[in-house]
Amino acid sequence: MSVLASIDLNTLGDAFGLGAIYALMAVGIGLVFGVLRLVNFAYGQLIMAGAYTLAYTTSWPVTASIVACFAVVVALSLAMDRLVFRPLRSSSPAVMLVTTFAVSFLLQAVALIIDLRDGTLGEVASAVAPLNQAITVGGVDIRKVTFVAVGVALGALVALALVLARTTIGLHTRAAASDFRTARLLGVRANRVIGFAVVVSGLLAGAVAVLLTVQNPFVQPAFALEDTIVVLVGVVVGGIDRLWTATLGGFAIGFVSVLVNAALPTDQTIFLPSVVYALVIVVLLLRPAGLFAWGRRAAMERV
Amino acid sequence: MGSPAPASELERRPEETLRASAVSRSFEGVRALQEVTLELHRHEVVGLVGPNGAGKSTLVNLLTGFDLPTSGTVELRGREITRWSAHRRTRSGLARTFQHSRSFRALSVRENVEVAALGVGARGREARRRAEELLERLALTALADVRADSLAQGDERRLGVARALVTEPAFVLMDEPAAGLPEAEVPEFAAVVRAVRDDHRAGVLLIDHNMALVMGVCDRIHVLDQGRTLAAGTPEEIRGDLNVAAAYLGETAVDTDA
């Protein structure tokens, strides 16, 4: 009967796996937010495009399929910035947010048109599915993808942290995130910094596309849509003003979702979002600046 | 206080001058600045004073490329730069500090200076070396790894100066550097201003309301009132000018012997 009893090591593995994937999404969203002040609701559609790429290249060697996925997602990410965000760069955050909603729906509609050419909704990305098989570690079954997800997330986060801390483009990105106008005055090239954020954010979306498709090979236009909403909530809960708190927020909401899902009786899992969002409301009431935001400074650092 | 160190003949040449010639700026019919001419040479400190709304900020914005004059020209080292971008001016030897310091709060003190060095073309390691050097000179080395938003006021002002000096400027415009500075730290900052003039041989345009600082460090003072030049001269001349006393200095003119 106890809630904790239903949380076994298996579930814990899944929780880390989803937490890692959501953390990657949070970084992708947070990085662009830091530089452009733009909450990209259409981030999920980058992932969806990657998932479709994997589905349509199932006959290719897995590596080629994954490379194609990254290429499509990064190209789409750049196109989104060039065609939509750049013309709106001086618009208010509200205008930009609403625009990303429009982009999100547009891309879902385009995906629907492409998908329905064969008369059925949805495609199956079977090539990457073997990663979903379980391996037994010390008597506990853990899916391979969990290890891959956690590994990729840790690797990507460490690599990004190093790039931001040690390189010129990283320094420029952090300066731009801290004060874009002054950064430009001091010679930081806006388009280079934005381009960097957009490409990295696209690479992360590509990685997430692969990981999510492994877990759920059935790809349809709404693929990753709900995940994106959950991650956006997680990012706000963590504190969107700082990249690392946003990332922790993404991880936390993925982790908690899996635990809540396991704790709920099987016939009650429909209440999963209700429980998770109720927790979110409680957290925001207690810590309006974000779960991991400490003190006055929290609102200032963005990357 | 301090021995006045007038700019030498060499430094009065047009190549070593920042000059606003008869600049005017109107905002929807309101004349914020009318036919103001101001020259700044290397190796001198010129004070720009006047009551709020006198046009000081407007003039600084025209000089630094944040705004365009309605008429008149700005010249930097013999070249007309009236329509140049702010960053291009910085690369050509005109640096500024900001009223609200505008340091990158989330970056370390060293990184703040490094970004400015990169902006004028220094590459990775060279930018870092120059940043270290400036931090050393402005006594900020011990704070190099501290986040900029945790600095005390005085340290933050020196960071602003370091960020300007790392671009190796011929001219530095300081926008109200003493605003919010504890009175006790003003003499220390005055020494920093003099060092910019004497050690870096840069020309400094100092905009500030702190008359102790302005009278103490300036070689010349330019007084604006209602968008016009009210007076210009040495601190002694300005102190004796009744117009100025009436318009701006008022009672405080009497006790400014810092």
Side-chain angles (χ1 to χ4, degrees):
Chain A
M1 286 304 285
S2 144
V3 167
L4 285 176
S6 57
I7 299 171
D8 53 20
L9 287 174
N10 220 322
T11 310
L12 215 53
D14 283 350
F16 273 108
L18 194 65
I21 291 174
Y22 282 6
L24 287 172
M25 292 173 68
V27 177
I29 291 168
L31 196 59
V32 167
F33 176 81
V35 174
L36 284 178
R37 310 272 87 191
L38 167 89
V39 178
N40 188 4
F41 188 79
Y43 194 69
Q45 282 62 57
L46 293 175
I47 296 165
M48 177 268 286
Y52 267 108
T53 308
L54 291 170
Y56 283 125
T57 56
T58 297
S59 60
W60 298 14
V62 177
T63 317
S65 183
I66 290 175
V67 169
C69 163
F70 276 95
V72 167
V73 175
V74 170
L76 186 59
S77 182
L78 282 168
M80 218 187 256
D81 174 55
R82 190 62 59 93
L83 300 176
V84 184
F85 302 152
R86 192 175 291 188
L88 293 175
R89 214 164 270 173
S90 50
S91 307
S92 73
V95 169
M96 296 209 282
L97 178 62
V98 171
T99 306
T100 70
F101 276 98
V103 172
S104 166
F105 290 122
L106 175 73
L107 290 175
Q108 287 178 62
V110 170
L112 189 63
I113 293 168
I114 295 173
D115 186 318
L116 285 178
R117 286 177 310 167
D118 61 2
T120 60
L121 179 64
E123 307 291 336
V124 178
S126 49
V128 286
L131 270 177
N132 209 23
Q133 286 165 359
I135 52 173
T136 307
V137 182
V140 182
D141 288 341
I142 295 178
R143 294 181 299 164
K144 283 185 201 164
V145 69
T146 301
F147 290 106
V148 176
V150 173
V152 167
L154 284 177
L157 293 182
V158 169
L160 183 61
L162 285 175
V163 167
L164 286 174
R166 302 271 171 86
T167 66
T168 298
I169 184 71
L171 180 59
H172 277 169
T173 303
R174 285 185 296 134
S178 187
D179 182 344
F180 205 94
R181 243 186 98 205
T182 305
R184 292 195 64 175
L185 283 175
L186 294 182
V188 173
R189 290 216 208 108
N191 287 338
R192 274 191 60 186
V193 168
I194 292 169
F196 169 77
V198 165
V199 166
V200 171
S201 157
L203 288 171
L204 293 165
V208 172
V210 175
L211 295 170
L212 280 181
T213 313
V214 170
Q215 298 194 331
N216 171 21
F218 186 71
V219 183
Q220 20 77 42
F223 191 87
L225 180 63
E226 206 180 309
D227 299 291
T228 307
I229 296 172
V230 173
V231 170
L232 281 172
V233 170
V235 160
V236 171
V237 170
I240 194 166
D241 272 330
R242 299 174 69 181
L243 189 57
W244 304 114
T245 59
T247 309
L248 275 177
F251 177 83
I253 204 158
F255 192 84
V256 168
S257 291
V258 173
L259 295 191
V260 171
N261 191 38
L264 286 171
T266 318
D267 59 341
Q268 305 287 313
T269 50
I270 191 171
F271 292 114
L272 171 63
S274 315
V275 175
V276 170
Y277 290 134
L279 284 173
V280 164
I281 291 170
V282 171
V283 166
L284 286 182
L285 282 175
L286 295 175
R287 302 191 64 96
L291 187 57
F292 307 107
W294 282 280
R296 184 179 59 85
R297 266 183 238 158
M300 295 171 179
E301 183 181 18
R302 286 160 192 162
V303 159
Chain B
M1 95 187 240
S3 59
S8 69
E9 277 309 309
L10 195 66
E11 282 155 337
R12 288 193 180 281
R13 294 181 309 180
E15 308 89 89
E16 298 299 343
T17 303
L18 172 67
R19 180 183 166 88
S21 304
V23 288
S24 300
R25 178 70 171 102
S26 301
F27 296 101
E28 294 173 13
V30 180
R31 296 204 274 181
L33 213 55
Q34 297 175 53
E35 303 266 321
V36 171
T37 294
L38 180 143
E39 262 190 12
L40 176 64
H41 308 286
R42 288 197 78 158
H43 198 211
E44 69 170 352
V45 180
V46 173
L48 182 61
V49 301
N52 285 325
K56 304 188 298 289
S57 299
T58 306
L59 181 55
V60 169
N61 286 341
L62 297 181
L63 287 169
T64 49
F66 282 63
D67 193 11
L68 290 174
T70 315
S71 66
T73 57
V74 181
E75 285 150 61
L76 174 64
R77 309 169 101 172
R79 283 193 284 181
E80 200 203 308
I81 62 161
T82 316
R83 309 191 79 83
W84 283 20
S85 72
H87 178 232
R88 191 170 172 202
R89 292 177 204 221
T90 308
R91 290 189 77 123
S92 303
L94 174 60
R96 75 171 287 180
T97 70
F98 294 96
Q99 197 169 345
H100 301 291
S101 77
R102 287 225 225 155
S103 41
F104 301 113
R105 299 165 193 244
L107 269 54
S108 73
V109 168
R110 178 194 291 112
E111 287 170 338
N112 262 278
V113 183
E114 220 177 312
V115 170
L118 289 165
V120 290
R123 297 258 150 229
R125 196 164 292 171
E126 166 69 6
R128 200 180 167 85
R129 190 192 61 72
R130 271 161 69 169
E132 300 282 0
E133 191 187 317
L134 258 302
L135 292 180
E136 175 93 48
R137 276 200 239 162
L138 286 157
L140 286 166
T141 303
L143 298 167
D145 294 313
V146 166
R147 271 176 61 128
D149 60 0
S150 57
L151 290 183
Q153 291 274 9
D155 297 329
E156 194 177 27
R157 298 312 144 92
R158 291 208 311 285
L159 171 57
V161 175
R163 216 163 64 160
L165 288 182
V166 81
T167 66
E168 297 179 353
F171 302 99
V172 182
L173 275 54
M174 297 188 183
D175 198 354
E176 302 205 15
L181 204 59
E183 202 57 40
E185 292 183 29
V186 171
E188 193 191 340
F189 191 80
V192 170
V193 176
R194 285 193 201 96
V196 173
R197 176 190 64 194
D198 300 336
D199 301 344
H200 299 266
R201 302 196 73 79
V204 179
L205 185 66
L206 177 68
I207 299 95
D208 214 284
H209 286 289
N210 188 309
M211 290 316 290
L213 176 67
V214 171
M215 289 294 179
V217 302
C218 291
D219 303 305
R220 291 191 292 125
I221 293 175
H222 197 104
V223 186
L224 286 181
D225 187 36
Q226 296 179 26
R228 294 171 188 277
T229 299
L230 182 68
T234 64
E236 288 70 30
E237 289 164 358
I238 295 298
R239 205 193 299 264
D241 191 319
L242 290 177
N243 283 335
V244 177
Y248 182 53
L249 303 179
E251 297 296 316
T252 61
V254 184
D255 47 45
T256 49
D257 305 74

